[in-house]
Amino acid sequence: KRESIMFQIVKNTLAYEGMSFQLPEGLYLDMTADERDENCIVFKPKDESFILSVEFLTNREPIYKSLVSYLVQEGAEIYTIARVEMNGLQGFECTYGGEGKSYYEAYLRPALPESQVYCTVCIETEGDIFKDVLKNSIVRTFLDHGIRWDGEA
């Protein structure tokens, strides 16, 4: 069983261990999502054309190894995988497909060698992840500005 996380509300963002994210304007909080783990928050547009989830995890494994292990375990068809930096957080992002869906996923952590907490951002759609979702203005704003490193935990 994973350790439960309590988010602190700071300046209208949800914060944990020095990382924070803004609630994505225009999306709905889905409190009944099957995908939801105890440390995961799920958002959807009204038409439910995609799911955007944010989850915080603790892991001693290197972040790249965690991501690749997850993709192999899921039997995913990997489209892209690359290093990424988002507002003071570093990690890897990838796009992949499986079971008629396409996904974007980022594994992010603070640029601190001792940090064992990381955040995952996952976007899932039955459409084209590149054309239908990653160009969506709500999603772009969230990825470009909505999640960040605010300083020490």
Side-chain angles (χ1 to χ4, degrees), residues 2 35 61 75 121 132-133 143:
R2 293 187 203 183
E35 305 85 8
E61 263 188 352
V121 176
D132 299 335
V133 181
L143 293 176

Side-chain angles (χ1 to χ4, degrees), residues 79-146:
Y79 305 144
T80 63
I81 189 165
R83 287 187 179 276
V84 67
E85 186 169 325
M86 289 183 187
N87 306 308
L89 297 170
Q90 298 176 344
F92 292 87
E93 66 181 354
C94 68
T95 56
Y96 61 96
E99 299 181 14
K101 296 181 181 179
S102 59
Y103 302 84
Y104 166 88
E105 192 139 5
Y107 278 42
L108 304 164
R109 70 168 23 134
L112 302 172
E114 69 278 1
S115 178
Q116 294 179 6
V117 174
Y118 67 95
C119 171
T120 67
V121 176
C122 182
I123 302 169
E124 172 188 325
T125 185
E126 290 182 3
D128 182 319
I129 195 74
F130 300 104
K131 184 174 69 178
D132 299 335
V133 181
L134 291 178
K135 292 182 180 179
N136 176 293
S137 63
I138 294 170
V139 171
R140 280 284 23 115
T141 299
F142 182 78
L143 293 176
D144 292 344
H145 308 289

Side-chain angles (χ1 to χ4, degrees), residues 51-70:
I51 296 168
L52 186 155
S53 61
V54 179
E55 183 173 15
F56 288 85
L57 303 164
T58 302
N59 193 337
R60 289 187 167 92
E61 263 188 352
I63 202 165
Y64 181 81
K65 186 175 179 181
S66 294
L67 175 59
V68 171
S69 295
Y70 171 75

Side-chain angles (χ1 to χ4, degrees), residues 29-73:
L29 179 61
D30 186 349
M31 299 297 291
T32 63
D34 292 338
E35 305 85 8
R36 217 176 99 216
D37 193 17
E38 57 192 39
N39 298 329
C40 184
I41 299 176
V42 176
F43 304 96
K44 294 179 181 178
K46 193 169 189 169
D47 67 4
E48 298 189 12
S49 57
F50 65 88
I51 296 168
L52 186 155
S53 61
V54 179
E55 183 173 15
F56 288 85
L57 303 164
T58 302
N59 193 337
R60 289 187 167 92
E61 263 188 352
I63 202 165
Y64 181 81
K65 186 175 179 181
S66 294
L67 175 59
V68 171
S69 295
Y70 171 75
L71 295 172
V72 168
Q73 176 185 333

